[in-house]
């Protein structure tokens, strides 16, 4: 196992009615003037936003508000949020929504206290300073409620890029599984796919002897495979929603990823798909992961065979590790299709003629196509092109 430091100081309030603690928690973490940030309206329709406002009012906390975050959140609204926070003297940002709202909140939090362009952080500058952020989560998916990451799409060029830093870890996150019961089945499945991807991309490691985190990841994927069909069948199954919600946090706050190299190839490739086609991140991952895994399998068939047998119940054939590995990838894809996820470019709404553009922007941002992806393996543009072709 590699050396590591792990400090993930987010306070979690979990369970029914937890959103009514929003005001108390903002106060606990020093907020006096809040920006309430939210998406396209689901939190208004469900009455959640009003409950959060009531909770702030009960603690005498003033707030400004900015809605309209789109899935795959855009830079334009971030600039608007930064201006609003400065004008209103905001000292705490409360995200009420999903990963997109949380990521937009984090970008605003960093940009408000930074003299330059917030996009600098999305081109590699580490985030060391930001306004404190709290979250009221409404979808189990991105894991941004416990992660030090944020992903934003720059409208000029439609580039999707991530930024990271300890200042991006939320001070608190409110997780009430009931709030996720209003999710459409497709969105629930997209979230589940993202959670499984966060686990797989940590499992695909070149570090040896990491049994503890291997076993944690296997357990979480198995829980997702058990619980997801239950909520697709019955959206109001509270216990299944609760298990998925906590798995989503555990999958991405990095407790399962410490001390080991990680992959992230599927995420890097998928981000180009959701940037160009505005598809859901999870749906893009459902198409991307099996192709990336089949392409990379020969790098370490034993690792893929291990997850195939331990998670998917594929009989381990020591004389045919590649066969065992491929059967596991087939089982993953079959599961994703069974919960309603797309399997190829056509089902996702992606186009074969865009492959050259996608490969160029993926390797990397400047469109030159001269960069590489450093994950489980090292991939160049030709590899990425081949992987996209496997998705058609
Ligand atoms: O905008 P509203 O009206 O709220 O509707 C949203 C949106 O349309 C809807 N929704 C959310 N909760 C709901 C609900 N509808 C009904 N009932 C509810 N309870 O769901 C749609 C998707 O919301 P979004 O926030 O986009 O989903 P998600 O949490 O999957 O976030 C996706 C974004 O997170 C990024 C992705 O790239 C993508 O941009 N990621 C962020 C990460 C991080 N910060 O650590 C890591 C991830 O790998 C991921 O890349
Ligand atoms: Zn993800």
């Amino acid at each position: 196992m590699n050396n590591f430091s792990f400090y993930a100081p987010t306070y979690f309030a979990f369970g029914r009615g937890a959103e009514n603690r929003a005001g108390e928690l903002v106060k606990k973490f020093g907020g006096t003037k809040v920006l309430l940030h939210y998406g396209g309206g689901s939190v208004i329709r469900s009455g959640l936003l009003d409950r959060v406002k009531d909770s702030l009012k009960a603690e005498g906390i003033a707030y400004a508000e900015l809605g309209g975050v789109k899935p795959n959140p855009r830079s334009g609204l971030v600039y608007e949020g930064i201006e609003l926070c400065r004008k209103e003297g905001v000292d705490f940002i409360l995200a009420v929504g999903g990963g997109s709202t949380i990521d937009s909140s984090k970008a605003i939090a960093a940009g408000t206290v930074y003299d330059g362009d917030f996009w600098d952080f999305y081109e590699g500058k580490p985030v060391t300073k930001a306004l404190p952020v709290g979250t009221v989560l409404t979808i189990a998916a991105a894991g941004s409620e416990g992660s030090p990451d944020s992903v934003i799409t720059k409208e000029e060029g439609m580039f999707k890029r991530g930024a990271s830093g300890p200042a991006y870890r939320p001070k608190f996150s409110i997780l009430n599984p009931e709030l996720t019961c209003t999710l459409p089945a497709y969105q629930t499945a997209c979230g589940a796919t993202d959670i499984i991807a966060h686990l797989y991309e940590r499992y695909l490691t070149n570090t040896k002897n990491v049994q503890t985190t291997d076993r944690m990841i296997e357990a979480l994927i198995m829980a997702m495979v058990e619980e997801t069909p239950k909520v697709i069948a019955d959206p109001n199954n509270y216990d299944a929603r609760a298990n998925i919600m906590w798995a989503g946090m555990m999958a991405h706050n990095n407790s399962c990823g410490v001390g080991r190299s990680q992959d992230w190839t599927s995420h890097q490739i998928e981000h180009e798909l959701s940037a160009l086609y505005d598809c859901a991140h999870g749906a893009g991952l459902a198409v991307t992961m099996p192709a990336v895994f089949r392409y990379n399998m020969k790098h370490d068939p034993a690792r893929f065979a291990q997850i195939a047998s331990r998670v998917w119940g594929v009989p381990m054939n020591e004389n045919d590790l590649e066969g065992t590995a491929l059967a596991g990838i087939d089982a993953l894809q079959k599961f994703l299709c069974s919960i309603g996820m797309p399997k190829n470019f056509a089902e996702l709404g992606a186009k074969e003629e865009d492959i050259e553009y996608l490969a160029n922007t993926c390797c990397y941002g400047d469109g030159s196509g001269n960069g590489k992806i450093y994950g489980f393996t090292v991939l160049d543009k030709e590899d990425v092109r081949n992987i996209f072709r496997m998705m058609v």
Side-chain angles (χ1 to χ4, degrees):
M1 198 190 295
N2 301 333
N3 290 358
F4 65 87
S5 308
F6 184 57
Y7 182 59
T10 302
Y11 179 107
F12 292 100
F14 192 100
R16 296 180 202 272
E19 65 274 19
N20 299 320
R21 295 183 57 195
E24 167 212 324
L25 290 172
V26 167
K27 202 174 216 177
K28 177 181 164 81
F29 289 98
T32 60
K33 177 76 187 271
V34 167
L35 176 73
L36 270 179
H37 199 32
Y38 53 91
S42 72
V43 300
I44 299 173
R45 290 190 295 278
S46 68
L48 171 63
L49 193 66
D50 282 341
R51 293 204 294 286
V52 170
K53 285 179 182 173
D54 288 345
S55 165
L56 293 175
K57 284 179 202 152
E59 297 289 342
I61 295 167
Y63 58 84
E65 55 184 290
L66 180 65
V69 181
K70 292 188 176 141
N72 306 315
R74 312 299 151 90
S75 52
L77 196 68
V78 173
Y79 290 114
E80 216 179 293
I82 292 169
E83 216 168 285
L84 182 64
C85 284
R86 288 180 181 157
K87 190 171 117 225
E88 296 281 338
V90 163
D91 60 13
F92 195 101
I93 307 200
L94 186 55
V96 187
S100 295
T101 294
I102 300 173
D103 285 1
S104 181
S105 298
K106 289 177 177 179
I108 294 170
T112 301
V113 294
Y114 177 61
D115 285 339
D117 184 344
F118 93 91
W119 191 253
D120 293 348
F121 300 117
Y122 294 76
E123 284 183 341
K125 193 180 168 74
V127 187
T128 53
K129 202 172 156 215
L131 291 179
V133 173
T135 85
V136 182
L137 186 65
T138 61
I139 171 172
S144 191
E145 67 277 13
S147 85
D149 310 314
S150 156
V151 185
I152 301 289
T153 299
K154 192 181 178 73
E155 276 140 320
E156 310 86 64
M158 293 306 271
F159 292 127
K160 195 173 190 188
R161 293 289 174 265
S164 220
Y168 267 178
R169 286 225 191 240
K171 295 290 173 223
F172 70 81
S173 282
I174 290 176
L175 274 55
N176 175 358
E178 281 176 328
L179 300 178
T180 66
C181 292
T182 50
L183 280 166
Y186 181 78
Q187 208 63 57
T188 297
C190 288
T193 305
D194 194 16
I195 293 169
I196 290 170
H198 296 161
L199 293 162
Y200 255 93
E201 299 242 57
R202 288 182 166 88
Y203 201 83
L204 297 177
T205 186
N206 293 306
T207 311
K208 302 293 174 207
N209 302 320
V210 283
Q211 285 294 352
T212 300
T213 40
D214 268 4
R215 289 297 192 183
M216 287 168 71
I217 295 170
E218 290 160 9
L220 285 163
I221 297 176
M222 289 167 84
M224 289 301 300
V225 171
E226 267 172 39
E227 300 302 287
T228 306
K230 294 183 192 168
V231 295
I232 302 289
D234 173 12
N236 294 315
N237 183 331
Y238 177 86
D239 286 322
R241 291 277 186 197
N243 279 292
I244 291 171
M245 202 168 206
W246 194 238
M249 204 299 294
M250 291 291 291
H252 203 46
N253 86 332
N254 211 27
S255 41
C256 305
V258 291
R260 52 197 289 151
S261 71
Q262 303 180 9
D263 185 5
W264 302 107
T265 306
S266 296
H267 267 71
Q268 266 172 258
I269 291 179
E270 190 293 318
H271 280 166
E272 301 310 333
L273 293 172
S274 46
L276 186 61
Y277 303 112
D278 211 7
C279 59
H281 171 59
L285 284 168
V287 176
T288 307
M289 274 192 290
V292 170
F293 297 170
R294 286 183 187 117
Y295 196 81
N296 277 344
M297 186 274 294
K298 281 193 164 56
H299 172 68
D300 187 355
R303 183 128 281 268
F304 281 101
Q306 178 175 295
I307 197 167
S309 72
R310 291 185 180 177
V311 169
W312 299 106
V314 176
M316 174 65 84
N317 184 346
E318 297 286 353
N319 299 318
D320 182 16
L321 289 177
E322 293 190 5
T324 309
L326 286 174
I329 300 167
D330 290 349
L332 165 69
Q333 189 163 40
K334 195 168 163 216
F335 172 76
L336 296 176
C337 291
S338 78
I339 58 171
M341 287 290 92
K343 126 164 145 264
N344 52 31
F345 257 36
E347 288 183 19
L348 185 67
K351 297 195 190 79
E352 191 173 356
E353 57 265 34
D354 292 334
I355 286 180
E356 197 52 33
Y357 172 85
L358 289 163
N360 272 333
T361 49
C362 194
C363 295
Y364 263 129
D366 60 0
S368 69
N370 291 328
K372 288 189 166 47
I373 292 182
Y374 296 91
F376 191 45
T377 59
V378 180
L379 301 177
D380 63 17
K381 189 170 93 172
E382 183 55 24
D383 295 312
V384 174
R385 206 188 272 127
N386 290 337
I387 289 169
F388 277 124
R389 286 197 190 116
M390 289 167 69
M391 301 183 207
V392 171

